[in-house]
């Protein structure tokens, strides 16, 4: 594997690491190869770009960007330098820009939501724009809020708030349902003060019906009545 | 006009939250209208000890930020209808509230309640400053250990510097057997070092662990700690209650604590 050009991701975009021991011509070729290979993965996302490993002058930077945009569909929003002040400015501008860009093209079609992997511990709060799929546990004192539904592949022992903007069809599903509180749209349900010792853990689903939140085992019948 | 009492200690783990829960519940038992405020933002506990965690919708930070009215954030206790809890926020930190905001919150609650009891976080930083800002009097909790007493001394110094009108001491988790053997400071030793009025001695009692885990304060129950907390409540409302004989059940120790007036 040729390591003269390495593409890495960071929170705002991608970093292209150039091997300074290689000559410029080789790097250009390798850059083209790398982006051609990753074109499908990167899609047509807008992202910030940062060069590392080698100092490029303006002319070289322009050439590099040309290669990237011809070889892939990536939309280079801006180039980040090493100047922290400038970077802060870029970050702000980028945040503004990505706020305007519709989110739809950033997620694969068919699943309007976000995956989250990891345990949410007490004091952690995650807010999702669409549906949320949590792979991990939600501990007491932690909360998950989503405009859509919440699915927890793990234990829900904290607070879940589905349909945060009023969607009454939103539901909460968990492999182990032991929440402190569940909210769906405007309705709040709290756990019993003296919970019965639960026998066996089974996946359960909480949904809103006639102004009350029901929690039932996940069955085909219950699922067939739900919409996403 | 209600009285604002802050429960503080400096050191962590000496029983501030347990004391707040029990004193608050005890005062409600005495038909006082009481609100408990948890100011330990980011590490909230009082709601768990009170068994009210599942009722939280709004919290202290929501109130000071104006996201809700005070009334909306107050959680009514499940046992006493004159007892309320204003829970702290778990997802924020101490800097979310300022001492000025705490002061005006206490002023707003004063008209409605007989006692406003503030559970202070450990430490002497922002959280402590917030907690004491609106208080009229302080209950300093310590255990009979040198480290806890050292921190209590520092706290009392800070309270005095902040012109706290009244400072009372609670010696928590006292073990009579160890004191007898001379292996633990007695409450009198602690009182002598700290030189503030002793308002209560709570013996080490395993029932506290059980009550905390169940979210049911044990004040007023027929346990040593339960009786000790009830005595503290009576002293807070101005009654003259003799200190209990902690050795009573054992039978062969003489009365350890003389009556204090």
């Amino acid at each position: 594997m040729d390591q003269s050009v390495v593409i890495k991701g960071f929170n705002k975009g991608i970093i292209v690491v150039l091997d300074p021991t290689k000559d410029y011509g080789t790097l250009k070729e390798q850059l083209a190869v790398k982006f051609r290979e990753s074109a499908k993965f990167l899609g047509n996302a807008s992202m910030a770009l940062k060069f590392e490993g080698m100092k490029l002058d303006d002319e070289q930077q322009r050439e590099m960007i040309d290669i990237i945009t011809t070889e892939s569909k990536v939309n280079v929003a801006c180039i980040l330098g090493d100047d922290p002040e400038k970077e802060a400015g870029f970050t702000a501008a980028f945040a503004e820009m990505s706020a305007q860009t519709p989110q739809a093209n950033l997620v694969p079609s068919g699943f309007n939501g976000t995956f989250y992997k990891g345990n949410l511990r007490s004091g952690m709060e995650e807010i999702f724009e669409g549906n949320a799929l949590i792979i991990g546990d939600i501990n007491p004192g932690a909360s998950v809020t989503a405009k859509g539904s919440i699915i927890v592949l793990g234990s829900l022992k904290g607070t879940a708030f589905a349909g945060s903007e009023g969607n009454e069809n939103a539901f909460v599903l968990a492999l182990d349902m032991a929440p402190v509180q569940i909210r769906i749209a405007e309705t709040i349900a709290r756990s019993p003060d003296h919970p019965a010792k639960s026998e066996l853990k089974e996946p359960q689903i909480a949904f809103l019906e006639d102004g009350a939140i029901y929690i039932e085992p996940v069955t085909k019948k219950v699922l067939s009545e739900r919409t996403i | 006009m209600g009285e604002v009492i802050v429960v503080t200690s400096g050191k962590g783990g000496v029983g501030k939250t347990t004391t707040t829960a029990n004193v608050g519940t005890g005062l409600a038992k005495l038909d006082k209208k009481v609100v408990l405020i948890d100011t330990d933002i980011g590490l909230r506990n009082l709601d768990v000890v009170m068994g009210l965690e599942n009722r939280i919708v709004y919290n202290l930070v929501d109130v000071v930020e104006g996201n809700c009215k005070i009334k909306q954030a107050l959680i009514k206790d499940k046992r006493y209808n004159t007892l309320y809890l204003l829970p702290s926020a778990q997802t924020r930190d101490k800097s979310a509230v300022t001492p000025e905001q705490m002061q005006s919150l206490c002023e707003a609650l004063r008209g409605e309640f007989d006692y406003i009891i503030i559970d202070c976080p450990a430490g002497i930083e922002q959280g402590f400053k917030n907690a004491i800002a609106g208080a009229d009097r302080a209950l300093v909790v310590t255990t009979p250990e040198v480290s806890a007493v050292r921190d209590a001394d520092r706290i009392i110094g800070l309270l005095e510097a902040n012109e706290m009108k009244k400072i009372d001491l609670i010696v928590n988790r006292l073990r009579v057997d160890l004191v007898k053997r001379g292996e633990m400071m007695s409450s009198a030793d602690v009182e002598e070092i700290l030189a503030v009025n002793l308002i209560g001695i709570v013996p080490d009692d395993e029932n506290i662990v059980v009550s905390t885990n169940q979210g049911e304060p044990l004040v007023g129950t027929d346990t040593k700690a339960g009786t000790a907390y009830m005595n503290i409540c009576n002293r807070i409302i101005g009654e003259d209650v003799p200190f209990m004989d902690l050795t009573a059940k054992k039978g062969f120790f003489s009365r350890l604590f003389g009556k204090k007036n």
Side-chain angles (χ1 to χ4, degrees):
Chain A
M1 184 92 174
D2 190 298
Q3 291 291 311
S4 54
V5 173
V6 177
I7 307 174
K8 294 195 293 191
F10 73 117
N11 58 353
K12 296 180 282 276
I14 50 178
I15 301 174
V16 176
V17 186
L18 303 169
D19 184 348
T21 61
K22 296 283 171 10
D23 73 88
Y24 183 63
T26 321
L27 291 175
K28 279 206 294 192
E29 278 169 32
Q30 274 304 316
L31 186 76
V33 172
K34 280 284 152 79
F35 271 88
R36 205 176 306 140
E37 284 170 357
S38 332
K40 215 169 165 195
F41 172 71
L42 294 168
N44 58 353
S46 294
M47 50 183 76
L49 189 65
K50 195 172 177 177
F51 289 106
E52 275 180 10
M54 213 173 115
K55 258 212 143 32
L56 298 173
D57 61 36
D58 286 356
E59 178 61 29
Q60 288 171 327
Q61 269 193 8
R62 208 167 302 137
E63 278 182 26
M64 291 286 193
I65 294 165
D66 279 347
I67 294 169
I68 292 170
T69 45
T70 39
E71 294 299 339
S72 70
K73 293 203 184 84
V74 169
N75 173 18
V76 178
C78 58
I79 309 291
L80 299 185
D82 289 327
D83 182 350
E85 199 175 306
K86 255 187 198 163
E87 184 167 343
F90 279 129
T91 309
F94 184 70
E96 198 177 310
M97 195 206 73
S98 53
Q100 290 160 357
T101 324
Q103 293 285 311
N105 62 359
L106 293 176
V107 293
S109 58
F111 176 63
N112 175 25
T114 315
F115 286 98
Y116 181 97
K117 187 166 183 303
N119 294 334
L120 289 171
R121 295 180 188 282
S122 182
M124 291 167 75
E125 185 179 28
E126 287 293 332
I127 298 168
F128 298 93
E129 285 296 310
N131 301 305
L133 181 70
I134 316 287
I135 304 163
D137 295 343
I138 299 163
N139 286 353
S143 80
V144 173
T145 302
K147 285 183 189 166
S149 297
I150 299 170
I151 296 172
V152 185
L153 297 182
S155 300
L156 171 58
K157 298 180 209 153
T159 299
F161 185 4
S164 60
E165 302 216 324
N167 178 7
E168 298 192 343
N169 291 319
F171 60 87
V172 178
L173 190 154
L175 294 188
D176 174 20
M177 182 75 88
V180 163
Q181 216 177 66
I182 285 189
R183 302 188 206 176
I184 296 174
E186 303 281 300
T187 310
I188 300 177
R190 59 175 172 82
S191 63
D193 285 328
H194 301 286
K197 281 262 182 276
S198 66
E199 329 71 56
L200 76 157
K201 286 174 189 170
E202 59 176 348
Q204 289 183 305
I205 183 169
F207 54 90
L208 189 66
E209 206 170 277
D210 305 327
I213 292 175
Y214 293 87
I215 297 181
E216 286 184 10
V218 176
T219 56
K220 278 185 183 166
K221 184 179 177 293
V222 176
L223 285 181
S224 67
E225 289 163 359
R226 311 267 73 84
T227 52
I228 291 184
Chain B
M1 282 294 269
E3 190 172 36
V4 184
I5 305 175
V6 59
V7 179
T8 179
S9 72
K11 192 174 179 300
V14 297
K16 287 176 297 295
T17 301
T18 309
T19 302
T20 307
N22 280 287
V23 168
T25 308
L27 289 169
K29 261 188 179 191
L30 296 169
D31 289 329
K32 301 292 178 192
K33 212 170 170 211
V34 183
V35 59
L36 310 178
I37 306 177
D38 188 353
T39 58
D40 203 348
I41 304 168
L43 288 170
R44 76 171 187 221
N45 275 165
L46 186 56
D47 53 306
V48 180
V49 174
M50 295 293 293
L52 299 173
E53 182 186 17
N54 56 7
R55 290 162 168 77
I56 297 176
V57 176
Y58 296 109
N59 57 50
L60 175 62
V61 176
D62 288 321
V63 172
V64 299
E65 287 183 349
N67 300 336
C68 69
K69 297 194 186 94
I70 298 180
K71 276 228 163 79
Q72 287 177 293
L74 292 180
I75 300 172
K76 194 174 187 178
D77 185 64
K78 54 187 177 190
R79 295 150 290 242
Y80 298 97
N81 54 15
T82 58
L83 180 59
Y84 290 83
L85 168 70
L86 179 53
S88 123
Q90 181 70 331
T91 55
R92 304 289 295 271
D93 63 57
K94 312 291 190 254
S95 61
V97 174
T98 66
E100 292 72 31
Q101 287 169 325
M102 275 305 293
Q103 229 160 353
S104 50
L105 174 67
C106 292
E107 288 313 311
L109 289 168
R110 227 183 251 278
E112 285 276 321
F113 293 91
D114 299 321
Y115 290 98
I116 297 128
I117 303 184
I118 299 171
D119 186 18
C120 175
I124 54 173
E125 295 84 18
Q126 173 102 37
F128 170 74
K129 287 173 191 153
N130 288 341
I132 66 166
D136 307 318
R137 77 188 273 196
L139 296 179
V140 176
V141 183
T142 184
T143 55
E145 291 163 73
V146 279
S147 51
V149 172
R150 184 71 55 88
D151 289 359
D153 193 46
R154 174 99 171 93
I155 286 295
I156 292 168
L158 291 172
L159 291 172
E160 284 170 348
N162 281 283
E163 287 161 3
M164 187 65 62
K165 288 172 220 149
K166 195 162 175 1
I167 302 172
D168 294 301
L169 178 68
I170 294 176
V171 176
N172 196 11
R173 230 178 272 155
L174 187 84
R175 290 196 40 191
V176 183
D177 50 338
L178 288 184
V179 174
K180 268 282 169 187
R181 293 210 299 268
E183 287 166 356
M184 181 181 257
M185 273 186 267
S186 69
S187 57
D189 296 336
V190 178
E191 195 185 358
E192 195 199 308
I193 296 169
L194 298 178
V196 287
N197 175 52
L198 182 67
I199 200 169
I201 303 161
V202 183
D204 195 35
D205 187 342
E206 59 190 20
N207 290 307
I208 285 282
V209 179
V210 179
S211 107
T212 302
N213 287 342
Q214 292 179 340
E216 299 278 348
L218 52 55
V219 61
T221 58
D222 188 24
T223 56
K224 285 191 174 183
T227 315
Y229 276 124
M230 204 63 222
N231 287 348
I232 292 172
C233 296
N234 278 307
R235 290 183 197 116
I236 287 172
I237 63 169
E239 308 236 328
D240 186 7
V241 186
F243 278 75
M244 64 196 264
D245 183 357
L246 292 176
T247 60
K249 274 187 186 152
K250 302 229 164 110
F252 45 77
F253 289 137
S254 60
R255 198 178 157 109
L256 243 186
F257 308 105
K259 185 178 167 184
K260 279 197 60 73
N261 298 312

